[in-house]
Amino acid sequence: MTSHQSVRQAARRSALDAQAVLRKERADRERRLEGLAVAVLTALGERDGAVRDTERRAGDALQTTSAEEGLSLQQAVEWCGSGALTVREVRPRRSASSWTAVGR
């Protein structure tokens, strides 16, 4: 083997090693980004569930205010205090004759 060939082979090996390092770094970064994306989407799903539960509980309380205390929707909203809730933020549930409070 000539000196020129061995220099060429060494340069080729060095280039391949550098590419392998870059591929590993990219793959590691992609795995980190995938994990972070899953964490973001999981947190948003948990938030959505908490919001649904909170709105359901507020709606249940509004329904009780109406059914058991005989207040109209407007009166129930007024009892919640100025600025806390508007009639527009309360909508009938599709599946029942109760209300759901929806956030702004």
Side-chain angles (χ1 to χ4, degrees), residues 46-77:
E46 291 169 351
R47 178 211 53 199
D48 293 347
V51 167
R52 277 190 304 274
D53 181 56
T54 302
E55 289 176 352
R56 181 195 49 76
R57 289 186 294 123
D60 290 347
L62 287 167
Q63 178 63 30
T64 300
T65 302
S66 173
E68 294 179 16
E69 300 297 332
L71 268 61
S72 69
L73 176 58
Q74 179 64 47
Q75 291 168 323
V77 166

Side-chain angles (χ1 to χ4, degrees):
M1 187 168 9
T2 67
S3 166
H4 181 68
Q5 284 178 328
S6 62
V7 168
R8 183 178 173 156
Q9 285 178 346
R12 180 175 169 77
R13 205 170 19 253
S14 178
L16 290 172
D17 290 346
Q19 288 177 349
V21 168
L22 289 174
R23 271 193 304 277
K24 183 185 180 318
E25 288 173 356
R26 282 188 218 116
D28 291 345
R29 181 172 189 253
E30 188 169 321
R31 275 190 292 280
R32 287 191 310 271
L33 290 171
E34 287 172 355
L36 290 168
V38 167
V40 167
L41 295 173
T42 300
L44 292 175
E46 291 169 351
R47 178 211 53 199
D48 293 347
V51 167
R52 277 190 304 274
D53 181 56
T54 302
E55 289 176 352
R56 181 195 49 76
R57 289 186 294 123
D60 290 347
L62 287 167
Q63 178 63 30
T64 300
T65 302
S66 173
E68 294 179 16
E69 300 297 332
L71 268 61
S72 69
L73 176 58
Q74 179 64 47
Q75 291 168 323
V77 166
E78 288 171 7
W79 269 98
C80 291
S82 175
L85 183 67
T86 66
V87 172
R88 201 170 194 191
E89 292 175 298
V90 181
R91 63 178 174 190
R93 287 190 196 163
R94 290 184 199 132
S95 61
S97 61
S98 59
W99 297 330
T100 301
V102 293
R104 297 174 209 200

